[in-house]
Amino acid sequence: MLYVKTPEDVLALIKEEFSPLGQGETVSLSAAMGRILAEDIAAGEYVPNFDRSTVDGFAVRARDTFGCTDAIPAILPLQQTVQMGQGADFPLNAEACVAVPTGGAVPKGADSVVMLEYTEDYGDGTIGISRPVAPGENMIFRGDDVFPGKVILQKGRVLSSADIGALAAIGRVRVPVVKKLTVGVISTGDELVPPEVQPCPGQIRDVNSPMLEAMLTAFGCHVINYGIVTDDEALLTQKVRQAAAECDAVLLSGGSSVGVKDAACRIIESMGRLLLHGIAIKPGKPTILGKAGPKPLVGLPGHPVAAYFITKLFVLPLLGRLSGRDMTAYTVTAKVTQSISANHGRAQYHCCRLTPRDGEVWAEPIRGKSGLITTLAGADGYFCIDRDCEGLPKNAEIQVTVCSGE
Amino acid sequence: MLYVKTPEDVLALIKEEFSPLGQGETVSLSAAMGRILAEDIAAGEYVPNFDRSTVDGFAVRARDTFGCTDAIPAILPLQQTVQMGQGADFPLNAEACVAVPTGGAVPKGADSVVMLEYTEDYGDGTIGISRPVAPGENMIFRGDDVFPGKVILQKGRVLSSADIGALAAIGRVRVPVVKKLTVGVISTGDELVPPEVQPCPGQIRDVNSPMLEAMLTAFGCHVINYGIVTDDEALLTQKVRQAAAECDAVLLSGGSSVGVKDAACRIIESMGRLLLHGIAIKPGKPTILGKAGPKPLVGLPGHPVAAYFITKLFVLPLLGRLSGRDMTAYTVTAKVTQSISANHGRAQYHCCRLTPRDGEVWAEPIRGKSGLITTLAGADGYFCIDRDCEGLPKNAEIQVTVCSGE
């Protein structure tokens, strides 16, 4: 029990023992969504790159409109009309105006735009203006949004659709991102059959391989699924070594019998160093973490719910660390629909269904005697009961990590 | 202004005017992550499909252990040893025990399992038991987790990795999902150039096409990007008709000048029916929604921030409606770092950066004069100031929709 650690210690250990691999690649803008930015992105130019009108109207010098009213409009000759998409590389004449569309270029010397609604075209080449504008009104100046050198996105960020828009705006169509990690997944257990096989008595279907493959793929990893290996130490050693050679990280799940657990420890130790054996959380205690060179080797519990939580709580942060990924996450405040007791001494995780009602969110813990899988199916999120907490009363406020669709 | 609607009215209109298309397909388990379930999923079998031990130990009749202690152990002959992955299709003899591994099958007649820790192998074919067990202890019975007919996942759900695990557990390796929607995206504007082109004065890069493509792809749609069409009504009509023929929905963005806005209205009307023209939110008022048969045609504002919000707030729910997708979403409670004023009469949306600090989440509104794109870049989420609200004081509690990575 030498290596049993608290969740906080495990996260600290991960940070200490593992570092970003620092492998980048360049992808096109249309392939960059959801990828991790490998560098800070600074603009190389001005956005917009010209003074721009935000309305349909007439570009003027504001002072030429001061004092005008409906009764006494300012009358300015129409010098020119700027078309959409064309530059306005000419100076505005003294006491004149230039017609500009929304988004159109404003000529030099103009400092504001009068909205069309407050003007009248007299048909004789002059425009009547019935409301004054202030300097700067209804305009965006060159570089108002972005100027060269301005950092618009930071390294480590998972690119969102809005970020893709920002990259398009500054013309960054080749995007530096972190190379996807390749993660190997191995299930072990003489009782396991592939999901498509009807299990005989004594056998169960392998849940962890497809579940982990889905979770890691959604997290942005390449997954190599090595399938099911029987509880044979020589065979398992060979498979883990193969996976460690081919992947950036290896997850070995199962081996719930004592002998196999020991075998997983021995295999990991033989390949490098054992970092921990056991995490003080429920479910999920029998977890092993080791490293072979810079590569993490994780022994996950065979129980699917335990494997699920260990992967969410520790393996994803570990893979995030290897990728230099910003792992900030947020929780939703909810109230529990029923009281829950908890074990002392271990942080205890529960899946729940969420229901918004009357402006509040209610979390219904999903219970199950065996909790093989029904406590996961249809879960909207999960919450933790701290190790020092004896349980939660009905209506207690909790923080739920939403995981529907993840 | 006949057609300007509040956000609530727009969502009601979408529900009223559009229905799920009801087109399903079957995919393999490894392709089902993130897809929308087309049917309720009921189990066809028992999980587990045999009585199972949750510990390494000895299967017994509980009554044979009652009263035993360290000093006076119950001594039972070891009838047999069950191996992992094998059935236990034999009855437990009277006053005997059977060795079982964690997860192993328990023979008929046994009602509990004594943990290895509380036993001693006397080496003469008998096992000493030093602690009594209660009936049901350390066992999962057949069907405890899932039984035939039990609905484990509901139609409309976006499948998560936990759901994939549940499907694997019951052997559903062919999964009925909703067919992906094909959405056409068209940008219009004489001022637009593709993101890879250096704009001349008067021109800007097309932000909306790549942003919408990224957002809709992440939402699970196939996107056909029709690129940029100049402000030519005949050309635009032709392109929108082509897109409507090829796609389930068409998003036309841009056309910020009055003439083009009118053209978008005329085109949509000529193809079917105009449902609304203008939504009372900021940014995003100049939005058009129509339908050609069952297909929605949306005219988005050209301004990227407005196009972003309209798509998040209305287009995704609309596409969700067409897919029969559960659109329940949750917000994160945060406090604003600075006061914000608001317009009367229109719901006002702001992007923000989130920072967890001292157990609270702080939301820093992203401000920008033009807000062309910098108010989107790097945003972690957004929040709304209600139309009846004059603004928020510093430290006010708000509900943030998190959108980093989306």
Side-chain angles (χ1 to χ4, degrees):
Chain A
M1 301 298 274
L2 191 63
Y3 295 97
V4 174
K5 292 192 185 289
T6 64
E8 298 74 19
D9 287 343
V10 176
L11 293 172
L13 179 76
I14 286 168
K15 208 172 160 190
E16 194 185 303
E17 291 283 348
F18 298 95
S19 309
L21 299 180
Q23 292 180 321
E25 63 184 351
T26 304
V27 296
S28 70
L29 190 60
S30 62
M33 176 68 186
R35 296 296 297 268
I36 306 160
L37 210 49
E39 300 167 12
D40 286 354
I41 299 289
E45 56 191 62
Y46 295 94
V47 177
N49 67 348
F50 56 93
D51 295 346
R52 217 181 164 204
S53 176
T54 59
V55 296
D56 290 319
F58 296 90
V60 296
R61 281 183 189 81
R63 65 168 182 265
D64 294 341
T65 69
F66 292 170
C68 73
T69 64
D70 276 337
I72 313 169
I75 299 174
L76 301 176
L78 177 62
Q79 180 186 332
Q80 198 166 326
T81 295
V82 173
Q83 300 297 330
M84 204 60 185
Q86 295 182 343
D89 194 22
F90 56 86
L92 175 69
N93 293 342
E95 293 183 28
C97 69
V98 165
V100 288
T102 303
V106 169
K108 283 174 189 152
D111 61 7
S112 51
V113 180
V114 179
M115 286 178 81
L116 198 63
E117 287 87 327
Y118 306 122
T119 65
E120 188 178 350
D121 187 341
Y122 294 134
D124 62 351
T126 64
I127 302 292
I129 295 169
S130 57
R131 241 196 232 193
V133 280
E137 211 170 328
N138 300 324
M139 276 185 68
I140 304 167
F141 290 92
R142 179 176 195 241
D144 256 355
D145 209 37
V146 176
F147 48 85
K150 179 174 175 170
V151 171
I152 62 161
L153 292 170
Q154 291 189 321
K155 186 178 165 172
R157 181 170 173 85
V158 178
L159 290 170
S160 68
S161 54
D163 300 339
I164 298 295
L167 291 168
I170 61 166
R172 281 299 288 257
V173 293
R174 303 286 297 161
V175 187
V177 298
V178 175
K179 226 176 154 188
K180 285 191 175 202
L181 294 179
T182 301
V183 182
V185 172
I186 303 170
S187 279
T188 173
D190 287 339
E191 77 281 24
L192 297 179
V193 296
E196 64 274 18
V197 171
Q198 182 66 45
C200 297
Q203 299 183 323
I204 58 163
R205 292 196 178 90
D206 176 23
V207 167
N208 288 353
S209 296
M211 180 177 75
L212 294 173
E213 184 175 342
M215 197 191 298
L216 296 168
T217 304
F219 191 67
C221 300
H222 282 302
V223 178
I224 300 182
N225 192 337
Y226 291 91
I228 300 164
V229 180
T230 52
D231 288 341
D232 173 311
E233 191 163 338
L235 210 60
L236 199 55
T237 304
Q238 186 197 324
K239 196 58 91 174
V240 175
R241 287 187 177 268
Q242 181 196 343
E246 294 171 353
C247 304
D248 298 308
V250 181
L251 310 184
L252 172 67
S253 92
S256 44
S257 71
V258 175
V260 180
K261 258 185 270 178
D262 295 345
C265 273
R266 278 194 299 271
I267 293 169
I268 290 174
E269 273 197 308
S270 79
M271 294 174 63
R273 197 151 56 88
L274 197 65
L275 299 173
L276 79 89
H277 190 173
I279 303 177
I281 79 163
K282 183 185 171 183
K285 189 156 170 283
T287 299
I288 305 167
L289 174 62
K291 64 194 283 196
K295 295 181 179 181
L297 308 174
V298 185
L300 292 171
H303 192 292
V305 180
Y308 177 83
F309 277 117
I310 294 295
T311 308
K312 281 274 179 191
L313 299 171
F314 305 105
V315 176
L316 297 190
L318 169 53
L319 298 175
R321 175 74 176 159
L322 294 181
S323 306
R325 174 179 178 140
D326 178 359
M327 289 294 295
T328 314
Y330 303 96
T331 54
V332 170
T333 305
K335 289 183 169 180
V336 276
T337 57
Q338 49 187 259
S339 66
I340 307 178
S341 62
N343 276 15
H344 292 238
R346 283 205 274 168
Q348 187 172 318
Y349 283 82
H350 282 275
C351 283
C352 59
R353 294 206 175 84
L354 295 175
T355 314
R357 195 168 65 231
D358 306 330
E360 290 185 313
V361 180
W362 292 88
E364 184 200 346
I366 307 178
R367 294 170 186 271
K369 184 183 166 189
S370 75
L372 257 186
I373 195 66
T374 37
T375 57
L376 288 181
D380 296 316
Y382 58 81
F383 61 96
C384 178
I385 304 178
D386 288 341
R387 66 171 165 275
D388 302 326
C389 177
E390 291 179 32
L392 297 172
K394 187 178 164 175
N395 298 337
E397 201 170 79
I398 54 173
Q399 294 299 317
V400 177
T401 302
V402 173
C403 60
S404 50
E406 274 185 10
Chain B
M1 301 297 273
L2 190 61
Y3 294 97
V4 174
K5 292 192 184 291
T6 65
E8 297 75 19
D9 287 345
V10 176
L11 292 173
L13 179 76
I14 285 168
K15 208 173 159 188
E16 194 184 304
E17 291 283 348
F18 297 94
S19 309
L21 300 180
Q23 291 179 323
E25 63 184 351
T26 304
V27 297
S28 70
L29 190 61
S30 62
M33 176 69 186
R35 297 295 297 269
I36 305 161
L37 209 49
E39 300 168 13
D40 286 353
I41 299 289
E45 56 189 64
Y46 295 93
V47 176
N49 66 349
F50 57 93
D51 295 346
R52 216 180 165 205
S53 177
T54 59
V55 296
D56 290 320
F58 296 90
V60 296
R61 281 184 189 83
R63 64 167 181 263
D64 294 341
T65 69
F66 291 171
C68 74
T69 64
D70 277 336
I72 313 171
I75 300 174
L76 300 176
L78 177 62
Q79 179 186 333
Q80 198 167 326
T81 295
V82 173
Q83 300 297 330
M84 204 60 186
Q86 296 180 341
D89 193 21
F90 56 85
L92 175 67
N93 293 341
E95 293 182 29
C97 69
V98 165
V100 288
T102 303
V106 169
K108 282 172 189 153
D111 60 6
S112 50
V113 180
V114 180
M115 286 178 81
L116 198 61
E117 287 86 328
Y118 305 123
T119 65
E120 188 179 348
D121 187 341
Y122 293 135
D124 62 353
T126 64
I127 302 292
I129 296 169
S130 57
R131 239 195 232 192
V133 279
E137 211 171 326
N138 299 325
M139 277 184 66
I140 305 168
F141 291 91
R142 180 175 194 240
D144 257 357
D145 209 37
V146 176
F147 49 85
K150 179 173 175 172
V151 172
I152 62 161
L153 292 170
Q154 292 190 321
K155 187 179 164 171
R157 180 169 173 86
V158 178
L159 289 170
S160 68
S161 53
D163 300 339
I164 298 296
L167 291 167
I170 61 165
R172 282 297 289 257
V173 292
R174 302 287 297 161
V175 188
V177 299
V178 175
K179 226 176 153 189
K180 286 190 174 203
L181 294 178
T182 301
V183 182
V185 172
I186 303 169
S187 278
T188 173
D190 287 339
E191 77 280 24
L192 298 180
V193 296
E196 65 274 18
V197 171
Q198 182 67 45
C200 298
Q203 298 182 323
I204 57 163
R205 293 197 178 90
D206 176 22
V207 167
N208 289 351
S209 296
M211 180 177 74
L212 295 173
E213 184 176 341
M215 198 191 300
L216 296 168
T217 304
F219 190 67
C221 300
H222 282 302
V223 177
I224 301 181
N225 192 336
Y226 291 91
I228 301 163
V229 180
T230 52
D231 289 340
D232 173 311
E233 191 163 337
L235 211 59
L236 199 54
T237 303
Q238 188 198 322
K239 197 56 92 175
V240 175
R241 287 187 176 268
Q242 181 197 341
E246 295 171 351
C247 304
D248 298 307
V250 181
L251 310 184
L252 172 67
S253 91
S256 46
S257 71
V258 176
V260 180
K261 259 185 272 180
D262 295 346
C265 272
R266 278 193 300 272
I267 293 168
I268 290 175
E269 272 196 309
S270 79
M271 293 174 64
R273 196 151 56 89
L274 198 64
L275 300 173
L276 80 87
H277 191 171
I279 303 178
I281 79 163
K282 183 185 171 183
K285 189 155 170 283
T287 298
I288 305 167
L289 174 63
K291 64 196 280 195
K295 296 181 178 181
L297 308 173
V298 184
L300 292 171
H303 192 292
V305 180
Y308 177 83
F309 277 116
I310 294 295
T311 307
K312 280 274 178 191
L313 299 171
F314 305 107
V315 176
L316 297 189
L318 169 53
L319 299 176
R321 175 75 176 156
L322 294 181
S323 307
R325 175 180 177 138
D326 178 0
M327 290 294 294
T328 314
Y330 303 96
T331 54
V332 169
T333 305
K335 289 183 167 179
V336 275
T337 56
Q338 50 186 259
S339 65
I340 307 176
S341 62
N343 275 16
H344 292 237
R346 282 205 275 168
Q348 189 172 318
Y349 284 83
H350 283 275
C351 283
C352 59
R353 294 206 175 86
L354 294 175
T355 313
R357 196 169 64 230
D358 306 330
E360 290 185 314
V361 179
W362 292 88
E364 184 200 347
I366 308 177
R367 295 169 185 271
K369 186 183 166 188
S370 73
L372 256 187
I373 195 64
T374 37
T375 58
L376 288 181
D380 296 315
Y382 57 82
F383 61 95
C384 178
I385 304 177
D386 288 340
R387 66 171 164 277
D388 302 326
C389 177
E390 291 179 32
L392 298 171
K394 187 178 166 176
N395 297 337
E397 200 170 79
I398 55 171
Q399 294 299 317
V400 177
T401 301
V402 173
C403 60
S404 49
E406 276 185 10

